[in-house]
Amino acid sequence: MEFINVDSEIFLLDIGTENSSILDLFEKEIQNCIATGINIKDGFDHYNNKLFQKDIDSGKICIYDGYNFPFKNNQFDVVTIFSVIHHVKNIKLFVKNMCRITKYVIIKDNDMAGEYTTKLIEIQHDLYEGILCPQNFSEFYKTEKNYLINLMYDNNFSIVSHTYKKGFTNPYTILFKKNS
């Protein structure tokens, strides 16, 4: 997190947190990090898991509606979003509300403009739905990387760094910073 000039605590929000293990890792690896997770309550089986409920009860993970983040403006120094963007139906509303609560955003996902990406995501979600945890994973959205970048620009954010690996699913990682 050397890109943040913070002398005190770093407040981090991970969107799409499945459990507190990623939050614990952030806190272990980043000095003075206080990590919070957020996920939607959409009927996933893991919400009935006792460990996950413990994380909710402790406030480590919050549950929300998927769009209206229950946080104050600029409450977080950093928001991380790993393999979540393709699950967001109303990406414009999501990005607008996410940008309100943070100064930096790190997004890692696959570019849905890729020739094979959509097919791979369909197969992956079919596996999740049919084998690993029977639920509806079949709905995903084809948000392309360049469209997402333009939404971030529209919400007063600029790119600090960007990696893109051309290949089967065209994965990318982008660090955005809120413009002053």
Side-chain angles (χ1 to χ4, degrees):
M1 294 283 172
E2 61 274 356
F3 57 88
I4 300 177
N5 296 321
V6 177
D7 295 327
S8 59
E9 297 168 322
I10 296 172
F11 293 94
L12 181 143
L13 176 68
D14 181 59
I15 298 174
T17 301
E18 291 295 322
N19 60 55
S20 64
S21 61
I22 187 77
L23 306 174
D24 295 339
L25 179 64
F26 283 132
E27 289 179 346
K28 179 182 173 191
E29 298 296 324
I30 304 168
Q31 186 178 4
N32 298 323
C33 180
I34 298 173
T36 303
I38 193 165
N39 208 332
I40 59 172
K41 181 148 181 78
D42 60 357
F44 287 162
D45 289 337
H46 60 258
Y47 289 105
N48 297 320
N49 179 301
K50 289 180 183 177
L51 177 61
F52 194 81
Q53 189 60 50
K54 184 182 117 198
D55 292 334
I56 294 170
D57 293 343
S58 72
K60 191 83 172 167
I61 296 177
C62 303
I63 302 300
Y64 79 125
D65 67 3
Y67 297 101
N68 300 300
F69 295 91
F71 304 110
K72 297 182 285 189
N73 293 350
N74 296 314
Q75 183 169 338
F76 294 95
D77 297 299
V78 181
V79 165
T80 59
I81 310 167
F82 303 131
S83 296
V84 170
I85 292 297
H86 63 270
H87 290 284
V88 179
K89 185 174 185 176
N90 186 338
I91 192 70
K92 284 183 180 181
L93 180 61
F94 176 87
V95 167
K96 177 184 173 188
N97 288 325
M98 175 194 61
C99 288
R100 175 187 63 76
I101 63 171
T102 191
K103 301 166 193 116
Y104 289 89
V105 177
I106 301 171
I107 299 174
K108 181 173 180 53
D109 216 312
N110 297 301
D111 188 1
M112 292 300 172
E115 181 180 355
Y116 300 105
T117 306
T118 301
K119 188 45 100 178
L120 176 70
I121 297 296
E122 284 175 3
I123 292 168
Q124 179 186 30
H125 289 175
D126 286 346
L127 284 172
Y128 285 153
E129 187 176 324
I131 298 170
L132 300 176
C133 44
Q135 55 198 308
N136 185 7
F137 273 96
S138 60
E139 194 166 49
F140 68 94
Y141 304 94
K142 298 174 180 85
T143 301
E144 295 180 7
K145 175 184 61 102
N146 289 335
Y147 180 71
L148 177 64
I149 289 170
N150 286 326
L151 286 177
M152 293 298 289
Y153 289 161
D154 291 347
N155 283 277
N156 201 30
F157 275 72
S158 56
I159 294 176
V160 174
S161 69
H162 178 202
T163 60
Y164 180 75
K165 185 176 180 182
K166 189 157 178 62
F168 192 64
T169 62
N170 303 312
Y172 65 88
T173 303
I174 307 173
L175 168 62
F176 293 95
K177 177 183 180 182
K178 186 177 279 184
N179 299 322
S180 309

PDB file of all heavy atoms in Angstrom, residues 124-149:
ATOM      1  N   GLN A 124     -17.609 -21.654 -15.372  1.00  0.00           N
ATOM      2  CA  GLN A 124     -17.264 -21.533 -13.955  1.00  0.00           C
ATOM      3  C   GLN A 124     -18.519 -21.415 -13.090  1.00  0.00           C
ATOM      4  O   GLN A 124     -18.659 -22.099 -12.076  1.00  0.00           O
ATOM      5  CB  GLN A 124     -16.366 -20.315 -13.747  1.00  0.00           C
ATOM      6  CG  GLN A 124     -15.969 -20.084 -12.308  1.00  0.00           C
ATOM      7  CD  GLN A 124     -15.206 -18.784 -12.142  1.00  0.00           C
ATOM      8  OE1 GLN A 124     -15.420 -17.831 -12.886  1.00  0.00           O
ATOM      9  NE2 GLN A 124     -14.324 -18.747 -11.168  1.00  0.00           N
ATOM     10  N   HIS A 125     -19.451 -20.596 -13.501  1.00  0.00           N
ATOM     11  CA  HIS A 125     -20.675 -20.412 -12.724  1.00  0.00           C
ATOM     12  C   HIS A 125     -21.558 -21.656 -12.767  1.00  0.00           C
ATOM     13  O   HIS A 125     -22.223 -21.971 -11.777  1.00  0.00           O
ATOM     14  CB  HIS A 125     -21.409 -19.167 -13.188  1.00  0.00           C
ATOM     15  CG  HIS A 125     -20.706 -17.908 -12.787  1.00  0.00           C
ATOM     16  ND1 HIS A 125     -21.126 -16.679 -13.179  1.00  0.00           N
ATOM     17  CD2 HIS A 125     -19.611 -17.691 -12.022  1.00  0.00           C
ATOM     18  CE1 HIS A 125     -20.326 -15.764 -12.680  1.00  0.00           C
ATOM     19  NE2 HIS A 125     -19.400 -16.362 -11.973  1.00  0.00           N
ATOM     20  N   ASP A 126     -21.560 -22.356 -13.891  1.00  0.00           N
ATOM     21  CA  ASP A 126     -22.293 -23.631 -13.953  1.00  0.00           C
ATOM     22  C   ASP A 126     -21.716 -24.628 -12.954  1.00  0.00           C
ATOM     23  O   ASP A 126     -22.457 -25.361 -12.294  1.00  0.00           O
ATOM     24  CB  ASP A 126     -22.253 -24.219 -15.365  1.00  0.00           C
ATOM     25  CG  ASP A 126     -23.149 -23.474 -16.338  1.00  0.00           C
ATOM     26  OD1 ASP A 126     -23.997 -22.673 -15.880  1.00  0.00           O
ATOM     27  OD2 ASP A 126     -22.994 -23.689 -17.559  1.00  0.00           O
ATOM     28  N   LEU A 127     -20.388 -24.652 -12.828  1.00  0.00           N
ATOM     29  CA  LEU A 127     -19.750 -25.536 -11.850  1.00  0.00           C
ATOM     30  C   LEU A 127     -20.141 -25.145 -10.430  1.00  0.00           C
ATOM     31  O   LEU A 127     -20.483 -25.991  -9.612  1.00  0.00           O
ATOM     32  CB  LEU A 127     -18.231 -25.491 -12.000  1.00  0.00           C
ATOM     33  CG  LEU A 127     -17.658 -26.251 -13.178  1.00  0.00           C
ATOM     34  CD1 LEU A 127     -16.162 -25.964 -13.322  1.00  0.00           C
ATOM     35  CD2 LEU A 127     -17.888 -27.745 -13.028  1.00  0.00           C
ATOM     36  N   TYR A 128     -20.079 -23.848 -10.129  1.00  0.00           N
ATOM     37  CA  TYR A 128     -20.474 -23.386  -8.795  1.00  0.00           C
ATOM     38  C   TYR A 128     -21.915 -23.786  -8.495  1.00  0.00           C
ATOM     39  O   TYR A 128     -22.219 -24.304  -7.445  1.00  0.00           O
ATOM     40  CB  TYR A 128     -20.364 -21.863  -8.690  1.00  0.00           C
ATOM     41  CG  TYR A 128     -18.976 -21.322  -8.560  1.00  0.00           C
ATOM     42  CD1 TYR A 128     -18.677 -20.049  -9.004  1.00  0.00           C
ATOM     43  CD2 TYR A 128     -17.947 -22.064  -7.975  1.00  0.00           C
ATOM     44  CE1 TYR A 128     -17.406 -19.529  -8.875  1.00  0.00           C
ATOM     45  CE2 TYR A 128     -16.679 -21.553  -7.848  1.00  0.00           C
ATOM     46  CZ  TYR A 128     -16.409 -20.282  -8.301  1.00  0.00           C
ATOM     47  OH  TYR A 128     -15.162 -19.760  -8.173  1.00  0.00           O
ATOM     48  N   GLU A 129     -22.772 -23.507  -9.467  1.00  0.00           N
ATOM     49  CA  GLU A 129     -24.200 -23.733  -9.267  1.00  0.00           C
ATOM     50  C   GLU A 129     -24.532 -25.218  -9.143  1.00  0.00           C
ATOM     51  O   GLU A 129     -25.329 -25.616  -8.300  1.00  0.00           O
ATOM     52  CB  GLU A 129     -24.964 -23.115 -10.435  1.00  0.00           C
ATOM     53  CG  GLU A 129     -26.457 -23.130 -10.277  1.00  0.00           C
ATOM     54  CD  GLU A 129     -27.136 -22.406 -11.422  1.00  0.00           C
ATOM     55  OE1 GLU A 129     -26.608 -21.407 -11.926  1.00  0.00           O
ATOM     56  OE2 GLU A 129     -28.212 -22.876 -11.819  1.00  0.00           O
ATOM     57  N   GLY A 130     -23.917 -26.036  -9.976  1.00  0.00           N
ATOM     58  CA  GLY A 130     -24.311 -27.436 -10.026  1.00  0.00           C
ATOM     59  C   GLY A 130     -23.553 -28.361  -9.097  1.00  0.00           C
ATOM     60  O   GLY A 130     -24.065 -29.403  -8.721  1.00  0.00           O
ATOM     61  N   ILE A 131     -22.346 -27.967  -8.716  1.00  0.00           N
ATOM     62  CA  ILE A 131     -21.518 -28.897  -7.962  1.00  0.00           C
ATOM     63  C   ILE A 131     -21.137 -28.361  -6.588  1.00  0.00           C
ATOM     64  O   ILE A 131     -21.367 -29.000  -5.570  1.00  0.00           O
ATOM     65  CB  ILE A 131     -20.241 -29.245  -8.758  1.00  0.00           C
ATOM     66  CG1 ILE A 131     -20.621 -29.936 -10.062  1.00  0.00           C
ATOM     67  CG2 ILE A 131     -19.308 -30.114  -7.926  1.00  0.00           C
ATOM     68  CD1 ILE A 131     -19.468 -30.109 -11.021  1.00  0.00           C
ATOM     69  N   LEU A 132     -20.525 -27.205  -6.561  1.00  0.00           N
ATOM     70  CA  LEU A 132     -19.918 -26.727  -5.321  1.00  0.00           C
ATOM     71  C   LEU A 132     -20.925 -26.190  -4.310  1.00  0.00           C
ATOM     72  O   LEU A 132     -20.840 -26.492  -3.129  1.00  0.00           O
ATOM     73  CB  LEU A 132     -18.875 -25.652  -5.639  1.00  0.00           C
ATOM     74  CG  LEU A 132     -17.734 -26.124  -6.543  1.00  0.00           C
ATOM     75  CD1 LEU A 132     -16.808 -24.972  -6.881  1.00  0.00           C
ATOM     76  CD2 LEU A 132     -16.961 -27.246  -5.873  1.00  0.00           C
ATOM     77  N   CYS A 133     -21.823 -25.351  -4.749  1.00  0.00           N
ATOM     78  CA  CYS A 133     -22.815 -24.810  -3.818  1.00  0.00           C
ATOM     79  C   CYS A 133     -24.076 -24.499  -4.607  1.00  0.00           C
ATOM     80  O   CYS A 133     -24.155 -23.471  -5.262  1.00  0.00           O
ATOM     81  CB  CYS A 133     -22.286 -23.583  -3.092  1.00  0.00           C
ATOM     82  SG  CYS A 133     -21.413 -22.392  -4.097  1.00  0.00           S
ATOM     83  N   PRO A 134     -25.027 -25.399  -4.564  1.00  0.00           N
ATOM     84  CA  PRO A 134     -26.239 -25.251  -5.377  1.00  0.00           C
ATOM     85  C   PRO A 134     -26.967 -23.938  -5.091  1.00  0.00           C
ATOM     86  O   PRO A 134     -27.535 -23.741  -4.034  1.00  0.00           O
ATOM     87  CB  PRO A 134     -27.091 -26.449  -4.969  1.00  0.00           C
ATOM     88  CG  PRO A 134     -26.137 -27.410  -4.376  1.00  0.00           C
ATOM     89  CD  PRO A 134     -25.028 -26.599  -3.766  1.00  0.00           C
ATOM     90  N   GLN A 135     -26.866 -23.046  -6.020  1.00  0.00           N
ATOM     91  CA  GLN A 135     -27.526 -21.746  -5.955  1.00  0.00           C
ATOM     92  C   GLN A 135     -27.436 -21.118  -7.341  1.00  0.00           C
ATOM     93  O   GLN A 135     -26.823 -21.676  -8.225  1.00  0.00           O
ATOM     94  CB  GLN A 135     -26.869 -20.867  -4.908  1.00  0.00           C
ATOM     95  CG  GLN A 135     -25.373 -20.705  -5.127  1.00  0.00           C
ATOM     96  CD  GLN A 135     -24.688 -20.230  -3.886  1.00  0.00           C
ATOM     97  OE1 GLN A 135     -25.104 -19.246  -3.330  1.00  0.00           O
ATOM     98  NE2 GLN A 135     -23.667 -20.923  -3.446  1.00  0.00           N
ATOM     99  N   ASN A 136     -28.003 -19.970  -7.513  1.00  0.00           N
ATOM    100  CA  ASN A 136     -28.041 -19.362  -8.838  1.00  0.00           C
ATOM    101  C   ASN A 136     -26.832 -18.477  -9.081  1.00  0.00           C
ATOM    102  O   ASN A 136     -26.804 -17.332  -8.672  1.00  0.00           O
ATOM    103  CB  ASN A 136     -29.330 -18.554  -9.014  1.00  0.00           C
ATOM    104  CG  ASN A 136     -29.455 -18.021 -10.414  1.00  0.00           C
ATOM    105  OD1 ASN A 136     -28.654 -18.342 -11.290  1.00  0.00           O
ATOM    106  ND2 ASN A 136     -30.450 -17.202 -10.633  1.00  0.00           N
ATOM    107  N   PHE A 137     -25.818 -19.021  -9.749  1.00  0.00           N
ATOM    108  CA  PHE A 137     -24.655 -18.249 -10.163  1.00  0.00           C
ATOM    109  C   PHE A 137     -24.717 -17.930 -11.652  1.00  0.00           C
ATOM    110  O   PHE A 137     -23.797 -17.390 -12.201  1.00  0.00           O
ATOM    111  CB  PHE A 137     -23.363 -19.037  -9.910  1.00  0.00           C
ATOM    112  CG  PHE A 137     -22.808 -18.875  -8.546  1.00  0.00           C
ATOM    113  CD1 PHE A 137     -23.085 -19.801  -7.558  1.00  0.00           C
ATOM    114  CD2 PHE A 137     -22.001 -17.789  -8.236  1.00  0.00           C
ATOM    115  CE1 PHE A 137     -22.550 -19.662  -6.305  1.00  0.00           C
ATOM    116  CE2 PHE A 137     -21.472 -17.644  -6.976  1.00  0.00           C
ATOM    117  CZ  PHE A 137     -21.750 -18.583  -6.005  1.00  0.00           C
ATOM    118  N   SER A 138     -25.805 -18.326 -12.307  1.00  0.00           N
ATOM    119  CA  SER A 138     -25.841 -18.232 -13.756  1.00  0.00           C
ATOM    120  C   SER A 138     -25.946 -16.800 -14.259  1.00  0.00           C
ATOM    121  O   SER A 138     -25.652 -16.532 -15.411  1.00  0.00           O
ATOM    122  CB  SER A 138     -27.005 -19.058 -14.311  1.00  0.00           C
ATOM    123  OG  SER A 138     -28.225 -18.586 -13.788  1.00  0.00           O
ATOM    124  N   GLU A 139     -26.347 -15.883 -13.382  1.00  0.00           N
ATOM    125  CA  GLU A 139     -26.510 -14.499 -13.826  1.00  0.00           C
ATOM    126  C   GLU A 139     -25.215 -13.728 -13.615  1.00  0.00           C
ATOM    127  O   GLU A 139     -24.707 -13.617 -12.515  1.00  0.00           O
ATOM    128  CB  GLU A 139     -27.641 -13.837 -13.035  1.00  0.00           C
ATOM    129  CG  GLU A 139     -28.100 -12.543 -13.637  1.00  0.00           C
ATOM    130  CD  GLU A 139     -29.425 -12.102 -13.047  1.00  0.00           C
ATOM    131  OE1 GLU A 139     -29.539 -12.100 -11.812  1.00  0.00           O
ATOM    132  OE2 GLU A 139     -30.313 -11.786 -13.818  1.00  0.00           O
ATOM    133  N   PHE A 140     -24.647 -13.243 -14.702  1.00  0.00           N
ATOM    134  CA  PHE A 140     -23.498 -12.365 -14.617  1.00  0.00           C
ATOM    135  C   PHE A 140     -23.593 -11.365 -15.761  1.00  0.00           C
ATOM    136  O   PHE A 140     -24.361 -11.540 -16.700  1.00  0.00           O
ATOM    137  CB  PHE A 140     -22.168 -13.140 -14.629  1.00  0.00           C
ATOM    138  CG  PHE A 140     -21.851 -13.806 -15.930  1.00  0.00           C
ATOM    139  CD1 PHE A 140     -21.072 -13.179 -16.869  1.00  0.00           C
ATOM    140  CD2 PHE A 140     -22.335 -15.074 -16.204  1.00  0.00           C
ATOM    141  CE1 PHE A 140     -20.777 -13.792 -18.068  1.00  0.00           C
ATOM    142  CE2 PHE A 140     -22.042 -15.709 -17.395  1.00  0.00           C
ATOM    143  CZ  PHE A 140     -21.261 -15.061 -18.327  1.00  0.00           C
ATOM    144  N   TYR A 141     -22.802 -10.328 -15.661  1.00  0.00           N
ATOM    145  CA  TYR A 141     -22.944  -9.201 -16.577  1.00  0.00           C
ATOM    146  C   TYR A 141     -21.638  -8.957 -17.297  1.00  0.00           C
ATOM    147  O   TYR A 141     -20.562  -9.118 -16.735  1.00  0.00           O
ATOM    148  CB  TYR A 141     -23.419  -7.981 -15.794  1.00  0.00           C
ATOM    149  CG  TYR A 141     -24.698  -8.323 -15.066  1.00  0.00           C
ATOM    150  CD1 TYR A 141     -24.680  -8.763 -13.750  1.00  0.00           C
ATOM    151  CD2 TYR A 141     -25.910  -8.321 -15.738  1.00  0.00           C
ATOM    152  CE1 TYR A 141     -25.835  -9.158 -13.101  1.00  0.00           C
ATOM    153  CE2 TYR A 141     -27.068  -8.717 -15.096  1.00  0.00           C
ATOM    154  CZ  TYR A 141     -27.026  -9.132 -13.790  1.00  0.00           C
ATOM    155  OH  TYR A 141     -28.175  -9.538 -13.165  1.00  0.00           O
ATOM    156  N   LYS A 142     -21.748  -8.579 -18.544  1.00  0.00           N
ATOM    157  CA  LYS A 142     -20.590  -8.453 -19.416  1.00  0.00           C
ATOM    158  C   LYS A 142     -20.013  -7.036 -19.374  1.00  0.00           C
ATOM    159  O   LYS A 142     -19.945  -6.358 -20.388  1.00  0.00           O
ATOM    160  CB  LYS A 142     -20.983  -8.869 -20.823  1.00  0.00           C
ATOM    161  CG  LYS A 142     -21.426 -10.314 -20.907  1.00  0.00           C
ATOM    162  CD  LYS A 142     -21.948 -10.675 -22.270  1.00  0.00           C
ATOM    163  CE  LYS A 142     -22.366 -12.115 -22.318  1.00  0.00           C
ATOM    164  NZ  LYS A 142     -23.710 -12.348 -21.853  1.00  0.00           N
ATOM    165  N   THR A 143     -19.578  -6.608 -18.190  1.00  0.00           N
ATOM    166  CA  THR A 143     -18.985  -5.285 -18.050  1.00  0.00           C
ATOM    167  C   THR A 143     -17.556  -5.326 -18.568  1.00  0.00           C
ATOM    168  O   THR A 143     -16.710  -6.021 -18.027  1.00  0.00           O
ATOM    169  CB  THR A 143     -18.985  -4.834 -16.576  1.00  0.00           C
ATOM    170  OG1 THR A 143     -20.324  -4.821 -16.110  1.00  0.00           O
ATOM    171  CG2 THR A 143     -18.376  -3.456 -16.434  1.00  0.00           C
ATOM    172  N   GLU A 144     -17.312  -4.590 -19.625  1.00  0.00           N
ATOM    173  CA  GLU A 144     -15.983  -4.559 -20.222  1.00  0.00           C
ATOM    174  C   GLU A 144     -15.084  -3.590 -19.458  1.00  0.00           C
ATOM    175  O   GLU A 144     -15.538  -2.594 -18.907  1.00  0.00           O
ATOM    176  CB  GLU A 144     -16.077  -4.161 -21.688  1.00  0.00           C
ATOM    177  CG  GLU A 144     -16.831  -5.188 -22.522  1.00  0.00           C
ATOM    178  CD  GLU A 144     -16.932  -4.825 -23.991  1.00  0.00           C
ATOM    179  OE1 GLU A 144     -16.310  -3.826 -24.413  1.00  0.00           O
ATOM    180  OE2 GLU A 144     -17.621  -5.559 -24.720  1.00  0.00           O
ATOM    181  N   LYS A 145     -13.808  -3.886 -19.443  1.00  0.00           N
ATOM    182  CA  LYS A 145     -12.815  -3.100 -18.710  1.00  0.00           C
ATOM    183  C   LYS A 145     -12.855  -1.629 -19.113  1.00  0.00           C
ATOM    184  O   LYS A 145     -12.860  -0.745 -18.244  1.00  0.00           O
ATOM    185  CB  LYS A 145     -11.427  -3.690 -18.953  1.00  0.00           C
ATOM    186  CG  LYS A 145     -10.288  -2.888 -18.350  1.00  0.00           C
ATOM    187  CD  LYS A 145      -8.944  -3.478 -18.699  1.00  0.00           C
ATOM    188  CE  LYS A 145      -8.674  -3.514 -20.142  1.00  0.00           C
ATOM    189  NZ  LYS A 145      -7.817  -2.539 -20.727  1.00  0.00           N
ATOM    190  N   ASN A 146     -12.881  -1.330 -20.384  1.00  0.00           N
ATOM    191  CA  ASN A 146     -12.854   0.070 -20.829  1.00  0.00           C
ATOM    192  C   ASN A 146     -14.109   0.830 -20.409  1.00  0.00           C
ATOM    193  O   ASN A 146     -14.052   2.016 -20.089  1.00  0.00           O
ATOM    194  CB  ASN A 146     -12.643   0.157 -22.342  1.00  0.00           C
ATOM    195  CG  ASN A 146     -11.230  -0.240 -22.723  1.00  0.00           C
ATOM    196  OD1 ASN A 146     -10.303  -0.140 -21.917  1.00  0.00           O
ATOM    197  ND2 ASN A 146     -11.069  -0.710 -23.938  1.00  0.00           N
ATOM    198  N   TYR A 147     -15.247   0.153 -20.370  1.00  0.00           N
ATOM    199  CA  TYR A 147     -16.479   0.781 -19.898  1.00  0.00           C
ATOM    200  C   TYR A 147     -16.347   1.119 -18.411  1.00  0.00           C
ATOM    201  O   TYR A 147     -16.710   2.208 -17.972  1.00  0.00           O
ATOM    202  CB  TYR A 147     -17.669  -0.153 -20.139  1.00  0.00           C
ATOM    203  CG  TYR A 147     -18.990   0.418 -19.691  1.00  0.00           C
ATOM    204  CD1 TYR A 147     -19.585   1.462 -20.391  1.00  0.00           C
ATOM    205  CD2 TYR A 147     -19.628  -0.087 -18.573  1.00  0.00           C
ATOM    206  CE1 TYR A 147     -20.799   1.996 -19.986  1.00  0.00           C
ATOM    207  CE2 TYR A 147     -20.843   0.434 -18.154  1.00  0.00           C
ATOM    208  CZ  TYR A 147     -21.419   1.477 -18.861  1.00  0.00           C
ATOM    209  OH  TYR A 147     -22.615   1.993 -18.447  1.00  0.00           O
ATOM    210  N   LEU A 148     -15.797   0.191 -17.646  1.00  0.00           N
ATOM    211  CA  LEU A 148     -15.585   0.418 -16.218  1.00  0.00           C
ATOM    212  C   LEU A 148     -14.624   1.587 -15.994  1.00  0.00           C
ATOM    213  O   LEU A 148     -14.865   2.444 -15.140  1.00  0.00           O
ATOM    214  CB  LEU A 148     -15.034  -0.853 -15.570  1.00  0.00           C
ATOM    215  CG  LEU A 148     -14.701  -0.765 -14.096  1.00  0.00           C
ATOM    216  CD1 LEU A 148     -15.950  -0.497 -13.270  1.00  0.00           C
ATOM    217  CD2 LEU A 148     -14.022  -2.045 -13.637  1.00  0.00           C
ATOM    218  N   ILE A 149     -13.547   1.633 -16.744  1.00  0.00           N
ATOM    219  CA  ILE A 149     -12.590   2.742 -16.632  1.00  0.00           C
ATOM    220  C   ILE A 149     -13.291   4.072 -16.879  1.00  0.00           C
ATOM    221  O   ILE A 149     -13.101   5.038 -16.129  1.00  0.00           O
ATOM    222  CB  ILE A 149     -11.405   2.547 -17.603  1.00  0.00           C
ATOM    223  CG1 ILE A 149     -10.526   1.391 -17.120  1.00  0.00           C
ATOM    224  CG2 ILE A 149     -10.595   3.830 -17.746  1.00  0.00           C
ATOM    225  CD1 ILE A 149      -9.464   0.960 -18.116  1.00  0.00           C
TER     226      ILE A 149
END
